[in-house]
Amino acid sequence: MDDAADAGGFEWRCEHCGERTPKHNPPCSNCGGMSLEKVPLDGERDVREAESLLGTSRRALVGYGVAGAVALFGGGYLVWEEYTPPAIPDAPGSAERAGGLSLSAVEDAILDGVNAERDVDLAAEGRVVDAARYATAYTVTTGEDGSARELFGRLRDFRLGQFQFVRRILTGAEDERAIEGFADADAVADAFLRNLLGDDDVRAFLTAERFEHGSADVHVSPNGDVYASVVVASGGTGVL
């Protein structure tokens, strides 16, 4: 690919998060996505964005429930912004127990399985935990109508820094509840892990060193289908 030939009239946009870059050089610097699409340059948009940044020299430090305040440090502005996390959708079914199994035990086993493939374990704390819960609840409530692009936008509101997520669903045969086909929580986790780690692209970002935080969330719908989401992020503890 000759990036020089693309100069002047085109740029590359991440199909996952919309981040723009002048060169076709995956992964995306914002979300780690590997798929970039070639799109025309929008000069008017760039001018608008540049004008919106004129006169600003500040760094936002975000924390749960911190009231807005501004202080001057070294010629720049240090800004604390009030942060209200997105509300978790009220998904039908259970986020705690189903089929006689503890779903939190399934979540722990999934994260343990991912960490077993990493040099440094993911820390499951702060906003990344809520983001994983949101991803699963969103998927349960929207079904096939929900888009990955829309969900990515919602998860950005958790202010995780750079992040990626993956979702999977276990379904049973006709008239069978998927959750009831497993003997224990480890068996459910193993089913998800075989799928997640068996996908080279997913394995790559789940084990990437740039992501220090991560969380798994599991939910069982009323018909017994098992939903799981895993979110990994560079931030997510409140200060990014």
Side-chain angles (χ1 to χ4, degrees), residues 119-138:
D119 293 331
V120 178
D121 286 358
L122 293 165
E125 58 187 26
R127 298 175 189 171
V128 71
V129 175
D130 291 336
R133 288 180 56 211
Y134 189 101
T136 309
Y138 173 92

Side-chain angles (χ1 to χ4, degrees), residues 38-158:
K38 188 176 181 180
V39 296
L41 287 171
D42 184 345
E44 293 183 0
R45 177 202 55 210
D46 293 337
V47 170
R48 289 194 303 270
E49 291 181 355
E51 289 177 343
S52 71
L53 295 174
L54 290 177
T56 64
S57 174
R58 63 185 190 179
R59 176 185 176 193
L61 297 184
V62 187
Y64 284 103
V66 178
V70 181
L72 182 63
F73 280 90
Y77 288 95
L78 187 63
V79 181
W80 284 265
E81 297 178 356
E82 184 176 358
Y83 170 68
T84 302
I88 308 296
D90 186 13
S94 177
E96 298 180 359
R97 294 188 66 85
L101 306 179
S102 166
L103 301 186
S104 63
V106 178
E107 295 164 358
D108 290 343
I110 291 174
L111 196 60
D112 287 345
V114 171
N115 283 333
E117 304 296 319
R118 295 176 52 90
D119 293 331
V120 178
D121 286 358
L122 293 165
E125 58 187 26
R127 298 175 189 171
V128 71
V129 175
D130 291 336
R133 288 180 56 211
Y134 189 101
T136 309
Y138 173 92
T139 307
V140 174
T141 55
T142 61
E144 296 181 356
D145 294 330
S147 73
R149 185 180 293 273
E150 179 183 15
L151 177 56
F152 186 90
R154 302 284 180 84
L155 296 183
R156 288 185 73 171
D157 291 339
F158 285 91

